[in-house]
Amino acid sequence: MSAPVLLVLGAGPGIGLSVAKAFAAKGYKVATAARSLQDGVDEDGFLRIQVDLAQTTEVEKVFTKVTETLGIPHVVVYNAAYRIPRDAQDPLSSISLEDVKSEFAINTIAPLFAAQEAVKGFKQLPSSASRTFIQTGNALNTIVLPSVLTFGMTKSAAAHMIRSASVGYKSKGFKFYYADERQPDGGPTIPVNGPAAGKAYVELAENPEQGPWDYTFIDGKGYAEFK
């Protein structure tokens, strides 16, 4: 059998690269896509694709290129994020339509269409394949931070998409996760620990069953439920 394929969208030098290396260590062929990358193959042997995820029409092109070059992605990680800080004491001021469009495009709409493309591929893969979609999330679907009001709106919407997909595709064996690293006290981890994310995402991909869709995890411990 050919090696499974991982696609990381939003593959920066932190979380994205750590996740890519964690899966490569498990024998995956890896494709990374980000605006900062140049098309080609890097020193790790990863297929690199330049993409601006604010242009959501580019998502399908990435999947097409990965499928033609490496094969259908077995695991898709959406790691891109765009945040515009707000005045915590006056969060509704200075909000422009263009800013909101950009945040929603990268944080909500692009992952929606990435999940759609992932499912197209999952339907063609055997049941033994991982068929896992993971979005790097944060605590903003459960907590309020006025300083990132619109960013929180986009992440909450994305979390709802992941939850809906985890229910809708469970019978088909497709897995969906909103992965959120936390501190032991339940507080957010800023920034997310790249190697910890890589370890957690590999474990999610290797688990044949759908686990908690809102996968809150602690470095060194794994999944932890927070109220």
Side-chain angles (χ1 to χ4, degrees):
M1 294 180 64
S2 60
V5 177
L6 166 74
L7 168 59
V8 183
L9 294 154
I15 304 168
L17 183 59
S18 293
V19 169
K21 289 184 174 181
F23 277 86
K26 291 290 185 176
Y28 277 71
K29 294 182 287 187
V30 175
T32 58
R35 186 172 57 181
S36 61
L37 298 178
Q38 297 297 319
D39 290 346
V41 177
D42 66 16
E43 62 275 10
D44 293 306
F46 302 161
L47 175 66
R48 297 182 303 188
I49 303 172
Q50 186 178 54
V51 61
D52 181 1
L53 292 169
Q55 307 300 319
T56 51
T57 55
E58 297 296 303
V59 172
E60 183 178 3
K61 295 179 183 178
V62 172
F63 276 82
T64 297
K65 185 168 185 177
V66 172
T67 298
E68 291 176 347
T69 307
L70 301 180
I72 297 171
H74 293 57
V75 179
V76 176
V77 172
Y78 191 92
N79 183 61
Y82 180 58
R83 174 178 62 87
I84 298 177
R86 305 293 175 192
D87 181 347
Q89 303 303 315
D90 189 12
L92 291 173
S93 66
S94 303
I95 295 177
S96 73
L97 180 58
E98 290 307 310
D99 284 348
V100 172
K101 283 182 177 178
S102 295
E103 283 189 288
F104 269 92
I106 295 172
N107 303 327
T108 306
I109 300 174
L112 170 66
F113 285 101
Q116 182 185 60
E117 291 300 318
V119 164
K120 290 179 184 178
F122 293 169
K123 290 177 179 178
Q124 300 177 59
L125 293 171
S127 59
S128 58
S130 177
R131 301 180 299 177
T132 305
F133 184 94
I134 304 169
Q135 181 164 0
T136 300
N138 56 36
L140 289 173
N141 63 313
T142 61
I143 67 172
V144 172
L145 291 177
S147 61
V148 286
L149 185 153
T150 49
F151 183 50
M153 292 170 64
T154 65
K155 298 301 278 189
S156 295
H160 182 84
M161 181 271 289
I162 294 293
R163 184 178 187 180
S164 296
S166 73
V167 173
Y169 291 99
K170 186 174 183 180
S171 63
K172 292 181 172 63
F174 306 168
K175 298 171 294 177
F176 291 83
Y177 293 100
Y178 180 86
D180 170 14
E181 186 184 2
R182 299 289 188 91
Q183 293 298 302
D185 64 0
T189 297
I190 304 173
V192 172
N193 181 303
K199 182 176 184 295
Y201 292 12
V202 166
E203 290 174 353
L204 291 175
E206 291 183 338
N207 187 340
E209 302 295 329
Q210 171 74 53
W213 71 270
D214 190 1
Y215 193 81
T216 46
F217 66 96
I218 298 172
D219 184 11
K221 180 180 178 180
Y223 177 73
E225 186 174 358
F226 299 101
K227 296 183 179 179

